[in-house]
Amino acid sequence: MNKIALLFTIFFALFAISFACDEFNPNTSTIGECTATQKASWKPTDNVQVLTPADLDPQKLGMHEERMAYVLAIAKQQNKKFVASIYHQNGTLMCLGVNTGKPNIISHGEIVAINNCTALHGITSFTNYTLYTSGGNDLLCKICMSNIPMDSSYIFGRYYGLRASPPRVIGGVLRTEADAWFGSYCSKPTSIYYIKPQCVCTNTTSPLKIDQTRYSSWFENGKTVSQFGGTITNTGSVTVTNPTFTSSPNRPNSIWGLSVNEATNLWSLQWYPVIQPGQSFSFGYIIDGEDTIAFQPTA
Ligand SMILES: *[C@@H]1O[C@H](CO)[C@@H](O)[C@H](O)[C@H]1NC(C)=O
Ligand SMILES: *[C@@H]1O[C@H](CO)[C@@H](O)[C@H](O)[C@H]1NC(C)=O
Ligand SMILES: *[C@@H]1O[C@H](CO)[C@@H](O)[C@H](O)[C@H]1NC(C)=O
Ligand SMILES: *[C@@H]1O[C@H](CO)[C@@H](O)[C@H](O)[C@H]1NC(C)=O
Ligand SMILES: *[C@@H]1O[C@H](CO)[C@@H](O)[C@H](O)[C@H]1NC(C)=O
């Protein structure tokens, strides 16, 4: 869970329903108003840059820290997680908003602050105002807690059509203090912020298991020679394609089923290099001595 303190210049979000769109091709598209015979799509945009405290001059950072410290202090005083504040360009604190979970779950700190500022001062456009929030993962920001997993940089990058320039987003002001106040909700099922982790887990060890058997050994030209047979079994639940293997330095006199790339010293399957879950691939070799070549799957 990423719990960062964020502040940003407010903008108004409008969500338009769009119809099936083709991939944007700058060679065949123009930006502007479409004529009746043209198909309309949207202009693709990059995610907005998120500034960090390191990008700010110390004086500006000091001001932002002071304002963040203020929302954090109110959060602690009221024992709430999400508190937002909105400042006028001239430095005046215009209003506050506290997420109390009431009247409903979309009453996020920012929403409460926007409503509050509108009620108190009749502000309807928040250009040139700055909003601070104790919860970087709240509605308009990095959304991780029981919400949609979408970065603020993505959302703010889609400002196109709403304003002329991207909103300025700064993340990480008083991050340590904000993180300490948030803690983790993964183990608090009774909290309204609880989220059951939906982690993506990837095995770090290869599902390929290699077994080798020595079939026979014999004398040839005054030395012992052995024949080995092996199977590579996929013990995992997904198909393995193009696996490669490292080996101990001893080289076979002849081998089938595996081939080595002399440049990388990696072995690969000699034919159809795909092993389905539960399936095996066979190989064999003849080598001086009685020791196997130790093959190891790479990753
Ligand atoms: C647009 O034109 C350029 C230059 O001819 C070409 O390299 C590029 O692949 C074209 N882009 C698309 C999406 O067709
Ligand atoms: C800043 O602007 C607000 C809103 O217009 C106004 O109420 C306040 O007096 C101004 N403060 C200063 C210091 O100019
Ligand atoms: C609205 O903002 C004012 C001024 O900062 C604050 O005193 C008040 O508590 C806020 N109201 C709500 C509902 O958050
Ligand atoms: C925002 O502030 C800039 C700089 O002071 C000013 O030029 C601009 O007109 C302001 N925009 C709005 C919508 O108030
Ligand atoms: C990961 O390892 C576990 C335990 O060995 C296994 O049950 C699972 O199928 C593996 N997952 C994949 C994607 O291979």
Side-chain angles (χ1 to χ4, degrees), residues 201-207 234-240:
C201 308
T202 312
N203 287 348
T204 53
T205 54
S206 170
N234 182 353
T235 63
S237 51
V238 298
T239 302
V240 175

Side-chain angles (χ1 to χ4, degrees), residues 166-188:
R168 211 160 78 104
V169 184
I170 307 172
V173 176
L174 295 193
R175 176 182 217 134
T176 310
E177 291 84 338
D179 280 0
W181 179 238
F182 274 90
S184 168
Y185 289 86
C186 295
S187 55
K188 295 177 190 158

